[in-house]
DNA sequence: TACTTTTGCTAACAAATGTTAGTATAAAAA
DNA sequence: TTTTTATACTAACATTTGTTAGCAAAAGTA
Protein backbone atom coordinates (compact mmCIF):
# COMPACT_ATOMS: atom_id res chain seq x y z
CA UNK A 1 0.00 0.00 0.00
CA UNK A 2 1.31 3.44 -0.86
CA UNK A 3 1.02 6.79 0.74
CA UNK A 4 -2.37 7.58 2.17
CA UNK A 5 -3.44 11.17 2.13
CA UNK A 6 -4.54 12.86 5.31
CA UNK A 7 -3.03 10.52 7.80
CA UNK A 8 0.47 10.71 9.07
CA UNK A 9 2.19 7.38 9.33
CA UNK A 10 5.06 8.77 11.31
CA UNK A 11 2.81 10.17 14.00
CA UNK A 12 0.91 6.92 14.12
CA UNK A 13 4.12 4.94 14.55
CA UNK A 14 5.23 7.18 17.39
CA UNK A 15 1.91 6.80 19.08
CA UNK A 16 1.80 3.03 18.80
CA UNK A 17 5.43 2.71 19.84
CA UNK A 18 4.89 4.95 22.85
CA UNK A 19 2.00 2.82 23.93
CA UNK A 20 3.82 -0.47 23.48
CA UNK A 21 7.05 0.73 25.06
CA UNK A 22 5.09 1.83 28.07
CA UNK A 23 3.23 -1.43 28.29
CA UNK A 24 6.15 -3.82 27.95
CA UNK A 25 9.33 -1.78 28.12
CA UNK A 26 11.48 -0.75 25.16
CA UNK A 27 13.61 -3.85 25.04
CA UNK A 28 10.65 -6.18 25.19
CA UNK A 29 8.95 -4.73 22.12
CA UNK A 30 10.11 -5.97 18.73
CA UNK A 31 9.86 -4.14 15.45
CA UNK A 32 7.61 -6.88 14.12
CA UNK A 33 5.25 -6.54 17.05
CA UNK A 34 5.15 -2.81 16.52
CA UNK A 35 4.58 -3.37 12.82
CA UNK A 36 1.59 -5.56 13.46
CA UNK A 37 -0.07 -2.87 15.54
CA UNK A 38 0.65 -0.17 13.01
CA UNK A 39 -0.53 -2.29 10.15
CA UNK A 40 2.64 -2.39 8.09
CA UNK A 41 5.63 -4.69 7.74
CA UNK A 42 8.62 -4.27 10.02
CA UNK A 43 10.88 -3.24 7.18
CA UNK A 44 8.59 -0.35 6.31
CA UNK A 45 9.53 1.45 9.49
CA UNK A 46 12.79 2.36 7.91
CA UNK A 47 11.07 4.72 5.52
CA UNK A 48 10.14 6.81 8.56
CA UNK A 49 12.83 6.19 11.14
CA UNK A 50 16.50 5.34 10.96
CA UNK A 51 16.31 2.73 13.65
CA UNK A 52 14.32 1.44 16.57
CA UNK A 53 16.32 3.68 18.84
CA UNK A 54 15.42 6.78 16.86
CA UNK A 55 11.78 6.18 17.75
CA UNK A 56 12.76 6.09 21.40
CA UNK A 57 14.87 9.18 20.92
CA UNK A 58 11.93 11.09 19.51
CA UNK A 59 9.66 10.12 22.37
CA UNK A 60 12.18 11.00 25.06
CA UNK A 61 13.21 14.38 23.71
CA UNK A 62 9.73 15.42 22.75
CA UNK A 63 8.67 14.80 26.34
CA UNK A 64 11.66 16.69 27.63
CA UNK A 65 10.60 19.73 25.61
CA UNK A 66 7.06 19.32 26.82
CA UNK A 67 8.17 19.50 30.45
CA UNK A 68 10.24 22.60 29.76
CA UNK A 69 7.64 24.44 27.75
CA UNK A 70 4.88 23.77 30.20
CA UNK A 71 6.81 24.79 33.27
CA UNK A 72 8.09 27.96 31.62
CA UNK A 73 4.56 29.06 30.91
CA UNK A 74 3.46 28.10 34.41
CA UNK A 75 6.19 30.08 36.12
CA UNK A 76 5.97 33.21 34.04
CA UNK A 77 4.75 36.17 36.07
CA UNK A 78 4.67 34.30 39.35
CA UNK A 79 6.99 35.75 41.96
CA UNK A 80 5.98 34.24 45.29
CA UNK A 81 8.21 31.29 46.06
CA UNK A 82 5.65 28.93 47.53
CA UNK A 83 3.22 29.69 44.73
CA UNK A 84 6.00 29.02 42.26
CA UNK A 85 6.63 25.61 43.76
CA UNK A 86 2.96 24.83 43.63
CA UNK A 87 2.79 25.87 40.00
CA UNK A 88 5.89 23.89 39.12
CA UNK A 89 4.45 20.78 40.74
CA UNK A 90 1.13 21.19 39.00
CA UNK A 91 2.82 21.81 35.69
CA UNK A 92 4.85 18.63 36.04
CA UNK A 93 1.82 16.58 36.97
CA UNK A 94 -0.19 18.00 34.10
CA UNK A 95 2.47 17.00 31.61
CA UNK A 96 2.47 13.49 33.02
CA UNK A 97 -1.29 13.09 33.09
CA UNK A 98 -1.60 14.56 29.59
CA UNK A 99 1.01 12.14 28.28
CA UNK A 100 0.74 9.02 30.36
CA UNK A 101 2.40 6.60 27.98
CA UNK A 102 5.13 8.94 26.87
CA UNK A 103 5.86 9.86 30.48
CA UNK A 104 6.42 6.26 31.41
CA UNK A 105 8.80 5.86 28.49
CA UNK A 106 10.52 9.12 29.35
CA UNK A 107 11.02 8.04 32.93
CA UNK A 108 11.98 4.43 32.34
CA UNK A 109 13.39 3.78 28.93
CA UNK A 110 15.70 6.73 28.41
CA UNK A 111 18.50 4.54 29.63
CA UNK A 112 18.42 2.56 26.41
CA UNK A 113 19.53 5.61 24.48
CA UNK A 114 23.07 5.32 23.23
CA UNK A 115 25.66 8.05 23.25
CA UNK A 116 25.71 10.90 22.57
CA UNK A 117 21.95 11.05 23.12
CA UNK A 118 22.18 9.49 26.53
CA UNK A 119 24.39 12.30 27.81
CA UNK A 120 22.25 14.88 26.11
CA UNK A 121 19.19 13.45 27.77
CA UNK A 122 20.76 13.45 31.20
CA UNK A 123 21.86 17.02 30.76
CA UNK A 124 18.37 18.05 29.77
CA UNK A 125 16.93 16.39 32.84
CA UNK A 126 19.55 17.98 35.05
CA UNK A 127 18.57 21.40 33.79
CA UNK A 128 14.93 20.72 34.38
CA UNK A 129 15.58 19.61 37.94
CA UNK A 130 17.54 22.81 38.35
CA UNK A 131 14.34 24.81 37.98
CA UNK A 132 12.92 23.07 41.01
CA UNK A 133 16.18 23.27 42.91
CA UNK A 134 16.31 27.01 42.46
CA UNK A 135 12.81 27.47 43.82
CA UNK A 136 13.50 25.25 46.80
CA UNK A 137 16.75 27.04 47.61
CA UNK A 138 15.08 30.42 47.34
CA UNK A 139 12.35 29.28 49.72
CA UNK A 140 14.86 28.01 52.23
CA UNK A 141 16.92 31.19 52.02
CA UNK A 142 13.84 33.30 52.56
CA UNK A 143 12.91 31.11 55.50
CA UNK A 144 9.55 30.02 54.19
CA UNK A 145 10.66 26.43 53.65
CA UNK A 146 12.28 24.23 56.26
CA UNK A 147 16.02 24.21 55.89
CA UNK A 148 17.24 20.91 54.47
CA UNK A 149 19.67 19.68 51.92
CA UNK A 150 18.05 21.08 48.78
CA UNK A 151 19.09 18.23 46.49
CA UNK A 152 17.47 15.85 48.89
CA UNK A 153 14.24 17.82 48.92
CA UNK A 154 14.14 18.11 45.14
CA UNK A 155 14.71 14.39 44.68
CA UNK A 156 12.02 13.64 47.17
CA UNK A 157 9.58 15.88 45.34
CA UNK A 158 10.38 14.30 41.99
CA UNK A 159 10.04 10.91 43.54
CA UNK A 160 6.50 11.61 44.57
CA UNK A 161 5.61 13.17 41.24
CA UNK A 162 7.19 10.65 38.93
CA UNK A 163 5.03 7.74 39.88
CA UNK A 164 1.84 9.48 38.99
CA UNK A 165 1.86 7.83 35.57
CA UNK A 166 1.80 4.52 37.35
CA UNK A 167 -1.42 4.98 39.19
CA UNK A 168 -3.30 7.95 37.77
CA UNK A 169 -6.51 6.72 36.26
CA UNK A 170 -8.01 9.06 33.69
CA UNK A 171 -11.46 7.72 34.44
CA UNK A 172 -10.83 7.52 38.17
CA UNK A 173 -12.18 9.66 40.93
CA UNK A 174 -9.55 12.39 40.68
CA UNK A 175 -8.89 14.82 37.89
CA UNK A 176 -5.36 15.80 37.03
CA UNK A 177 -6.13 19.16 38.59
CA UNK A 178 -7.13 17.56 41.86
CA UNK A 179 -4.08 15.33 41.90
CA UNK A 180 -1.94 18.41 41.46
CA UNK A 181 -3.67 20.26 44.23
CA UNK A 182 -3.50 17.33 46.63
CA UNK A 183 0.13 16.53 45.98
CA UNK A 184 1.14 20.17 46.28
CA UNK A 185 -0.64 20.36 49.56
CA UNK A 186 0.93 17.16 50.84
CA UNK A 187 4.39 18.31 49.87
CA UNK A 188 3.93 21.76 51.39
CA UNK A 189 2.03 20.86 54.53
CA UNK A 190 2.64 17.16 55.15
CA UNK A 191 0.03 14.71 56.23
CA UNK A 192 -0.08 15.52 59.94
CA UNK A 193 -2.90 17.70 61.09
CA UNK B 1 36.00 -26.71 36.27
CA UNK B 2 34.19 -28.76 38.89
CA UNK B 3 32.63 -27.92 42.18
CA UNK B 4 34.59 -25.56 44.35
CA UNK B 5 34.26 -26.08 48.03
CA UNK B 6 33.25 -23.25 50.28
CA UNK B 7 31.70 -20.97 47.78
CA UNK B 8 28.12 -21.04 46.71
CA UNK B 9 27.65 -20.72 43.00
CA UNK B 10 23.94 -20.20 43.26
CA UNK B 11 24.28 -17.27 45.61
CA UNK B 12 26.95 -15.80 43.40
CA UNK B 13 24.72 -16.10 40.36
CA UNK B 14 21.86 -14.37 42.13
CA UNK B 15 24.15 -11.60 43.21
CA UNK B 16 25.64 -11.01 39.78
CA UNK B 17 22.24 -11.24 38.12
CA UNK B 18 20.73 -8.78 40.57
CA UNK B 19 23.48 -6.33 39.84
CA UNK B 20 23.24 -6.68 36.07
CA UNK B 21 19.45 -6.59 35.99
CA UNK B 22 19.53 -3.42 37.96
CA UNK B 23 22.14 -1.88 35.74
CA UNK B 24 20.61 -2.69 32.36
CA UNK B 25 17.14 -4.07 32.99
CA UNK B 26 16.14 -7.73 32.90
CA UNK B 27 15.43 -7.90 29.19
CA UNK B 28 18.68 -6.27 28.24
CA UNK B 29 20.85 -8.79 30.06
CA UNK B 30 21.62 -12.05 28.26
CA UNK B 31 22.52 -15.34 29.83
CA UNK B 32 25.90 -15.20 28.10
CA UNK B 33 26.63 -11.78 29.54
CA UNK B 34 25.66 -13.01 32.97
CA UNK B 35 27.84 -16.08 32.44
CA UNK B 36 30.86 -13.99 31.66
CA UNK B 37 30.55 -12.08 34.91
CA UNK B 38 30.02 -15.21 36.94
CA UNK B 39 32.90 -16.98 35.27
CA UNK B 40 31.04 -19.94 33.82
CA UNK B 41 29.41 -20.80 30.50
CA UNK B 42 25.80 -19.84 29.85
CA UNK B 43 24.67 -23.44 29.71
CA UNK B 44 25.99 -24.06 33.22
CA UNK B 45 23.31 -21.84 34.70
CA UNK B 46 20.83 -24.60 34.13
CA UNK B 47 22.47 -26.68 36.82
CA UNK B 48 21.36 -24.04 39.31
CA UNK B 49 18.24 -22.47 37.84
CA UNK B 50 15.47 -23.74 35.60
CA UNK B 51 15.45 -20.66 33.45
CA UNK B 52 16.41 -17.04 33.23
CA UNK B 53 13.04 -16.13 34.64
CA UNK B 54 13.54 -18.27 37.72
CA UNK B 55 16.48 -16.07 38.66
CA UNK B 56 14.22 -13.05 38.42
CA UNK B 57 11.57 -14.88 40.38
CA UNK B 58 13.98 -15.56 43.20
CA UNK B 59 15.10 -11.94 43.39
CA UNK B 60 11.57 -10.54 43.37
CA UNK B 61 10.10 -12.84 45.97
CA UNK B 62 13.10 -12.74 48.25
CA UNK B 63 12.77 -8.96 48.32
CA UNK B 64 9.07 -9.22 48.97
CA UNK B 65 9.74 -11.34 52.01
CA UNK B 66 12.41 -8.94 53.12
CA UNK B 67 9.97 -6.03 53.08
CA UNK B 68 7.43 -8.04 55.07
CA UNK B 69 9.82 -9.38 57.66
CA UNK B 70 11.42 -6.04 58.31
CA UNK B 71 8.20 -4.11 58.67
CA UNK B 72 6.70 -6.73 60.95
CA UNK B 73 9.62 -6.41 63.31
CA UNK B 74 9.49 -2.61 63.08
CA UNK B 75 5.81 -2.40 63.94
CA UNK B 76 5.79 -4.90 66.76
CA UNK B 77 5.00 -3.24 70.08
CA UNK B 78 4.40 0.20 68.61
CA UNK B 79 0.88 1.49 69.18
CA UNK B 80 0.94 5.21 68.42
CA UNK B 81 -0.26 5.75 64.89
CA UNK B 82 2.13 8.48 63.83
CA UNK B 83 5.07 6.59 65.29
CA UNK B 84 3.90 3.52 63.42
CA UNK B 85 3.92 5.38 60.16
CA UNK B 86 7.37 6.68 60.88
CA UNK B 87 8.59 3.21 61.67
CA UNK B 88 6.98 1.76 58.56
CA UNK B 89 8.62 4.39 56.40
CA UNK B 90 12.01 3.85 57.97
CA UNK B 91 11.66 0.11 57.66
CA UNK B 92 10.87 0.41 53.97
CA UNK B 93 13.78 2.72 53.35
CA UNK B 94 16.15 0.49 55.25
CA UNK B 95 15.22 -2.49 53.13
CA UNK B 96 15.85 -0.46 50.00
CA UNK B 97 19.16 0.98 51.12
CA UNK B 98 20.32 -2.42 52.36
CA UNK B 99 19.42 -4.00 49.02
CA UNK B 100 19.89 -1.33 46.42
CA UNK B 101 20.26 -3.57 43.39
CA UNK B 102 17.58 -6.02 44.39
CA UNK B 103 15.20 -3.18 45.17
CA UNK B 104 15.58 -1.74 41.71
CA UNK B 105 14.84 -5.15 40.22
CA UNK B 106 11.94 -5.64 42.59
CA UNK B 107 10.45 -2.30 41.62
CA UNK B 108 11.10 -2.40 37.89
CA UNK B 109 11.48 -5.89 36.53
CA UNK B 110 8.72 -7.76 38.29
CA UNK B 111 6.59 -7.13 35.23
CA UNK B 112 8.61 -9.65 33.26
CA UNK B 113 7.39 -12.44 35.49
CA UNK B 114 4.96 -14.74 33.75
CA UNK B 115 1.83 -16.20 35.22
CA UNK B 116 1.11 -17.44 37.79
CA UNK B 117 4.04 -15.68 39.43
CA UNK B 118 3.00 -12.30 38.12
CA UNK B 119 -0.34 -12.49 39.90
CA UNK B 120 1.27 -13.86 43.00
CA UNK B 121 3.71 -10.98 43.01
CA UNK B 122 1.01 -8.37 42.60
CA UNK B 123 -0.98 -9.92 45.42
CA UNK B 124 2.05 -9.84 47.69
CA UNK B 125 2.62 -6.18 46.92
CA UNK B 126 -1.03 -5.39 47.49
CA UNK B 127 -0.86 -6.94 50.94
CA UNK B 128 2.24 -5.00 51.79
CA UNK B 129 0.65 -1.73 50.74
CA UNK B 130 -2.27 -2.71 52.92
CA UNK B 131 -0.09 -2.37 55.99
CA UNK B 132 0.52 1.26 55.17
CA UNK B 133 -3.08 1.84 54.17
CA UNK B 134 -4.29 0.59 57.53
CA UNK B 135 -2.00 2.93 59.42
CA UNK B 136 -3.03 5.91 57.30
CA UNK B 137 -6.70 5.15 57.70
CA UNK B 138 -6.32 4.78 61.44
CA UNK B 139 -4.56 8.12 61.62
CA UNK B 140 -7.27 9.83 59.63
CA UNK B 141 -10.01 8.28 61.71
CA UNK B 142 -8.33 9.37 64.90
CA UNK B 143 -7.96 12.84 63.48
CA UNK B 144 -4.18 13.01 63.72
CA UNK B 145 -3.71 12.90 59.93
CA UNK B 146 -5.38 15.20 57.44
CA UNK B 147 -8.40 13.58 55.94
CA UNK B 148 -7.77 12.60 52.34
CA UNK B 149 -8.40 9.67 50.08
CA UNK B 150 -6.26 7.05 51.79
CA UNK B 151 -5.29 5.21 48.63
CA UNK B 152 -4.03 8.46 47.25
CA UNK B 153 -1.96 9.16 50.32
CA UNK B 154 -0.47 5.68 50.39
CA UNK B 155 0.49 5.86 46.73
CA UNK B 156 2.04 9.23 47.28
CA UNK B 157 4.09 7.90 50.16
CA UNK B 158 5.27 4.89 48.19
CA UNK B 159 6.10 7.14 45.32
CA UNK B 160 8.47 9.16 47.42
CA UNK B 161 10.02 6.07 48.98
CA UNK B 162 10.44 3.94 45.92
CA UNK B 163 12.89 6.16 44.16
CA UNK B 164 15.38 6.06 46.97
CA UNK B 165 17.27 3.27 45.23
CA UNK B 166 17.74 5.64 42.33
CA UNK B 167 19.61 8.33 44.14
CA UNK B 168 20.76 7.05 47.52
CA UNK B 169 24.52 7.03 47.56
CA UNK B 170 26.01 4.69 50.12
CA UNK B 171 29.13 6.83 50.32
CA UNK B 172 27.17 10.08 50.10
CA UNK B 173 26.51 12.61 52.79
CA UNK B 174 23.46 10.90 54.23
CA UNK B 175 23.16 7.60 56.02
CA UNK B 176 20.15 5.40 55.46
CA UNK B 177 19.04 6.38 58.95
CA UNK B 178 19.14 10.07 58.09
CA UNK B 179 17.28 9.52 54.84
CA UNK B 180 14.59 7.73 56.79
CA UNK B 181 14.33 10.47 59.37
CA UNK B 182 14.24 13.23 56.76
CA UNK B 183 11.68 11.57 54.54
CA UNK B 184 9.46 10.72 57.49
CA UNK B 185 9.61 14.31 58.59
CA UNK B 186 8.84 15.62 55.12
CA UNK B 187 5.89 13.31 54.75
CA UNK B 188 4.52 14.12 58.17
CA UNK B 189 5.20 17.86 58.31
CA UNK B 190 5.70 18.98 54.72
CA UNK B 191 8.32 21.40 53.57
CA UNK B 192 6.68 24.64 54.59
CA UNK B 193 7.84 26.19 57.79
C1' DT C 1 37.92 -48.13 47.79
C1' DA C 2 33.65 -47.75 44.58
C1' DC C 3 29.45 -45.33 43.51
C1' DT C 4 26.45 -41.32 43.02
C1' DT C 5 25.64 -36.61 42.64
C1' DT C 6 26.89 -32.12 41.42
C1' DT C 7 28.69 -28.97 38.43
C1' DG C 8 31.04 -27.73 34.67
C1' DC C 9 32.05 -28.01 29.54
C1' DT C 10 31.31 -27.97 24.15
C1' DA C 11 28.18 -28.03 20.50
C1' DA C 12 24.14 -27.23 18.72
C1' DC C 13 19.09 -25.96 18.30
C1' DA C 14 15.14 -23.20 16.82
C1' DA C 15 13.31 -18.87 17.28
C1' DA C 16 13.56 -14.06 17.38
C1' DT C 17 16.13 -9.89 16.73
C1' DG C 18 17.20 -5.26 14.09
C1' DT C 19 18.23 -4.15 9.70
C1' DT C 20 19.33 -3.94 4.48
C1' DA C 21 18.57 -4.77 -0.57
C1' DG C 22 15.79 -4.66 -4.27
C1' DT C 23 11.42 -3.76 -6.24
C1' DA C 24 6.69 -1.98 -7.13
C1' DT C 25 3.26 1.56 -7.13
C1' DA C 26 0.62 5.53 -5.61
C1' DA C 27 1.00 10.45 -4.77
C1' DA C 28 3.12 14.84 -5.69
C1' DA C 29 5.69 17.89 -8.58
C1' DA C 30 7.24 19.27 -13.14
C1' DT D 1 1.56 14.21 -19.35
C1' DT D 2 6.06 12.76 -17.59
C1' DT D 3 9.19 12.57 -13.80
C1' DT D 4 10.30 12.24 -9.18
C1' DT D 5 9.55 11.16 -4.48
C1' DA D 6 7.49 8.68 -0.78
C1' DT D 7 6.00 4.58 1.06
C1' DA D 8 4.97 0.01 1.01
C1' DC D 9 6.25 -4.84 -0.02
C1' DT D 10 9.00 -9.60 -0.01
C1' DA D 11 13.11 -11.88 0.97
C1' DA D 12 16.99 -12.36 3.18
C1' DC D 13 21.01 -11.26 6.27
C1' DA D 14 23.90 -11.89 10.28
C1' DT D 15 23.48 -11.84 15.24
C1' DT D 16 21.75 -12.83 19.40
C1' DT D 17 18.47 -15.11 22.15
C1' DG D 18 17.19 -18.87 25.83
C1' DT D 19 17.72 -23.48 26.16
C1' DT D 20 18.84 -28.65 25.57
C1' DA D 21 21.77 -32.87 24.82
C1' DG D 22 25.57 -35.39 25.84
C1' DC D 23 29.70 -35.85 28.14
C1' DA D 24 33.66 -35.33 31.67
C1' DA D 25 35.48 -34.75 36.05
C1' DA D 26 35.52 -33.17 40.81
C1' DA D 27 33.14 -33.60 45.29
C1' DG D 28 30.37 -36.09 48.37
C1' DT D 29 28.84 -40.56 50.29
C1' DA D 30 29.13 -45.52 51.23
Amino acid sequence: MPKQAGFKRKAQITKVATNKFREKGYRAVSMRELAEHVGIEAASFYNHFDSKESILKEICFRMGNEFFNTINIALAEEKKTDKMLERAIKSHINVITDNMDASAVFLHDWRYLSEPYLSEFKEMRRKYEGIFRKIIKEGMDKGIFNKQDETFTVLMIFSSLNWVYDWFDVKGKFTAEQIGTNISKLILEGIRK
Side-chain angles (χ1 to χ4, degrees), chain A:
Chain A
M1 227 174 299
K3 200 193 277 190
Q4 279 176 263
F7 105 81
K8 301 261 166 41
R9 213 6 83 84
K10 193 169 179 177
Q12 187 205 6
I13 291 172
T14 310
K15 190 175 171 188
V16 170
T18 304
N19 181 259
K20 283 289 146 191
F21 290 169
R22 185 260 164 89
E23 199 178 280
K24 313 180 72 178
Y26 176 74
R27 294 297 291 254
V29 180
S30 72
M31 292 300 260
R32 284 168 183 80
E33 185 183 353
L34 233 42
E36 205 177 322
H37 284 88
V38 172
I40 58 175
E41 290 300 314
S44 305
F45 280 113
Y46 296 85
N47 289 312
H48 306 276
F49 289 92
D50 287 345
S51 60
K52 187 186 178 188
E53 190 188 335
S54 74
I55 305 178
L56 178 64
K57 216 188 311 176
E58 179 148 318
I59 298 169
C60 289
F61 286 97
R62 195 184 58 71
M63 277 307 291
N65 287 329
E66 192 69 18
F67 278 114
F68 270 109
N69 294 339
T70 310
I71 205 168
N72 283 336
I73 293 168
L75 292 182
E77 298 170 43
E78 178 60 69
K79 293 278 182 279
K80 287 184 66 180
T81 309
D82 54 348
K83 292 278 178 200
M84 282 176 80
L85 181 61
E86 191 181 330
R87 283 197 183 204
I89 288 171
K90 285 185 177 178
S91 157
H92 190 85
I93 287 174
N94 278 332
V95 175
I96 291 176
T97 52
D98 285 352
N99 306 271
M100 294 284 278
D101 288 352
S103 294
V105 175
F106 176 88
L107 290 165
H108 272 140
D109 292 333
W110 58 268
R111 64 172 160 170
Y112 298 114
L113 292 170
S114 62
E115 294 294 358
Y117 309 104
L118 183 60
S119 295
E120 196 185 327
F121 180 90
K122 286 179 181 171
E123 176 61 16
M124 178 178 71
R125 205 181 42 174
R126 209 189 53 76
K127 271 188 190 152
Y128 181 68
E129 287 171 4
I131 298 174
F132 285 78
R133 181 174 292 109
K134 200 180 156 203
I135 298 173
I136 296 292
K137 186 169 160 36
E138 201 172 288
M140 289 177 183
D141 289 346
K142 286 187 184 165
I144 60 173
F145 294 159
N146 281 308
K147 238 188 166 54
Q148 256 269 10
D149 182 84
E150 83 216 36
T151 301
F152 178 90
T153 306
V154 171
L155 288 170
M156 157 95 188
I157 290 174
F158 273 109
S159 298
S160 39
L161 303 185
N162 284 344
W163 277 45
V164 169
Y165 74 85
D166 214 33
W167 48 264
F168 174 63
D169 178 4
V170 183
K171 302 187 199 75
K173 53 180 150 181
F174 296 112
T175 64
E177 178 63 25
Q178 288 172 312
I179 302 267
T181 305
N182 288 344
I183 290 192
S184 294
K185 207 176 159 197
L186 273 172
I187 288 172
L188 283 162
E189 318 291 347
I191 73 166
R192 184 180 268 142
K193 214 167 194 166

